[in-house]
Amino acid sequence: MIKINLLHNQLSTPVARESVVKKDDPTGQTFRSAAKKGGARVMKLTILFIAIIAGGIFLIMERYTVVNWVEQYTGPLNLLAPVEEAPSPEMIEEQRREKIRQLYMANTIRQQTRDIQFLTHLSALRQSKSAIFVSAFTLDGNDYAIDFYGKTEKEIIEFTNAYLNSKTIDETRPEKIERDSKIAGFKFKRSLSGTLRLTTGAETDTLSTVYIPLEKAKKKVKLLALSDALQADDTGKSKESKGVIMGKHSVQCKITGQMENFLKFATTLSKLSLNIEMTRYEITFALRDPRQKDIKKMKPDVILFDYNVLIPTTVSDTAATDGK
């Protein structure tokens, strides 16, 4: 490059710059070496920190696997709470069925309690009305029927009003009072039929039931009857019907004894919460001599007592049946 000197009007050649030759600086090399070592140390610490965090997360996520592996060599450590496994579809289905069973048995107990209350009402009327003879009474589910005799029409009407004075009666179909000489001393007869009312329960009303086998249930009924001075005998073979939730074994037995003792028996049986469903009562009352005070010499009432023994149907039972 050529510079022009305007003062002296001379051309001059620029002085070449002296090249600066860098010499090795011991201090600079030491700094750079320390910087490299510091960077490597920070990198190692960072990797170690990340590894510790990742390891901690892994241990938390796989804690049960890790503890199980350690326990193979150390024995039970009891470090972790037991794992609650998610219920299987079979378990969920069985829980659903058990809920239905509990609701069914709660409804059964309500009906049995109503039946016993109504029978108690009838028994009290029989004892208080000496001019009335109740010859037969049937209660089948919600349907009832009664035949009774009276010495006068007035007694028949009074007994009818007292009988119908029950909150459990829903509907009544009374027949006309008729003259009848079949029973000595009682000139008039009347028949009533109708339905009883059953109060509904909430879906939260459940009942845990003690399920016992068929033969054990039949034996239990006979022993309870015997403890209340009643004689119970099966009238025939039980009938079985299968269901998705429960199977039913229908049983009928003939019970002889005093109606009042039968009420004690039915009350005790209902309170046991067994898988026994009382369904039907057909009572034939004995005409007793009011002068007879000896209970042992009194003629017994006869009760045809129907009940079901309910056996749960499990998921495995259903699968076995479907596989056949």
Side-chain angles (χ1 to χ4, degrees):
M1 179 179 179
I2 299 174
K3 292 183 179 182
I4 300 174
N5 192 335
L6 299 178
L7 295 178
H8 299 284
N9 194 21
Q10 295 178 350
L11 297 175
S12 62
T13 303
V15 180
R17 294 182 180 179
E18 297 181 357
S19 60
V20 179
V21 179
K22 294 184 179 179
K23 299 182 178 179
D24 293 338
D25 185 357
T27 303
Q29 290 181 354
T30 302
F31 179 77
R32 287 192 297 273
S33 176
K36 290 180 180 180
K37 291 181 179 180
R41 188 178 297 111
V42 170
M43 182 63 68
K44 290 179 181 179
L45 290 175
T46 302
I47 294 173
L48 179 61
F49 180 71
I50 294 174
I52 291 173
I53 293 177
I57 295 174
F58 175 80
L59 287 176
I60 292 174
M61 296 178 63
E62 301 295 332
R63 57 190 181 279
Y64 288 97
T65 304
V66 173
V67 171
N68 288 336
W69 180 79
V70 174
E71 287 181 341
Q72 294 178 356
Y73 305 96
T74 63
L77 298 176
N78 298 324
L79 296 177
L80 301 173
V83 180
E84 295 184 1
E85 298 182 359
S88 63
E90 290 78 10
M91 293 176 62
I92 295 174
E93 172 62 17
E94 186 57 37
Q95 291 172 358
R96 184 188 73 84
R97 294 187 182 192
E98 181 58 25
K99 178 70 172 180
I100 296 174
R101 293 186 197 108
Q102 291 181 0
L103 290 170
Y104 184 91
M105 291 308 300
N107 184 72
T108 296
I109 293 299
R110 282 197 301 273
Q111 179 170 326
Q112 291 176 175
T113 301
R114 179 208 64 185
D115 295 348
I116 294 170
Q117 290 176 347
F118 191 77
L119 290 172
T120 302
H121 169 67
L122 175 61
S123 178
L125 283 178
R126 289 177 59 243
Q127 293 178 347
S128 63
K129 303 289 185 180
S130 58
I132 293 294
F133 168 58
V134 179
S135 61
F137 177 82
T138 301
L139 180 57
D140 187 354
N142 294 327
D143 300 326
Y144 75 84
I146 183 173
D147 296 331
F148 57 95
Y149 295 80
K151 294 182 178 180
T152 65
E153 286 191 73
K154 181 182 177 181
E155 293 288 349
I156 289 282
I157 294 173
E158 289 180 355
F159 181 85
T160 301
N161 293 336
Y163 174 85
L164 297 178
N165 187 24
S166 173
K167 295 180 180 179
T168 58
I169 294 180
D170 185 33
E171 181 185 3
T172 301
R173 296 178 292 276
E175 296 184 8
K176 294 181 179 180
I177 301 174
E178 299 177 351
R179 282 188 169 273
D180 194 303
S181 58
K182 187 182 298 183
I183 307 297
F186 298 90
K187 298 180 181 180
F188 300 92
K189 177 188 176 183
R190 191 173 206 180
S191 298
L192 303 174
S193 61
T195 57
L196 300 184
R197 181 184 297 108
L198 179 63
T199 57
T200 58
E203 291 187 0
T204 55
D205 292 343
T206 58
L207 179 68
S208 297
T209 304
V210 180
Y211 294 96
I212 58 178
L214 173 61
E215 294 303 321
K216 188 174 181 180
K218 293 166 68 175
K219 185 177 181 180
K220 187 70 174 180
V221 168
K222 293 179 180 179
L223 290 176
L224 283 177
L226 187 61
S227 66
D228 286 316
L230 300 168
Q231 180 65 39
D233 299 295
D234 293 340
T235 60
K237 294 182 179 180
S238 60
K239 298 179 181 179
E240 180 182 1
S241 60
K242 295 182 180 180
V244 177
I245 305 300
M246 287 188 290
K248 292 183 179 182
H249 295 269
S250 301
V251 183
Q252 184 184 79
C253 65
K254 179 182 178 182
I255 296 180
T256 55
Q258 308 301 318
M259 173 62 178
E260 293 69 32
N261 292 338
F262 177 78
L263 290 174
K264 295 178 183 178
F265 154 79
T267 301
T268 302
L269 183 59
S270 182
K271 289 181 178 180
L272 290 178
S273 296
L274 298 176
N275 53 325
I276 295 177
E277 177 187 26
M278 296 183 276
T279 59
R280 187 173 183 272
Y281 317 82
E282 183 178 338
I283 308 170
T284 302
F285 294 99
L287 181 59
R288 303 190 182 100
D289 186 349
R291 295 170 296 179
Q292 179 60 262
K293 302 300 181 182
D294 189 352
I295 297 178
K296 294 181 179 180
K297 293 183 180 180
M298 288 183 179
K299 294 180 180 180
D301 302 317
V302 178
I303 302 105
L304 291 179
F305 174 56
D306 293 15
Y307 63 92
N308 293 327
V309 179
L310 307 172
I311 305 298
T313 303
T314 62
V315 178
S316 58
D317 294 335
T318 303
T321 303
D322 295 339
K324 292 182 180 180

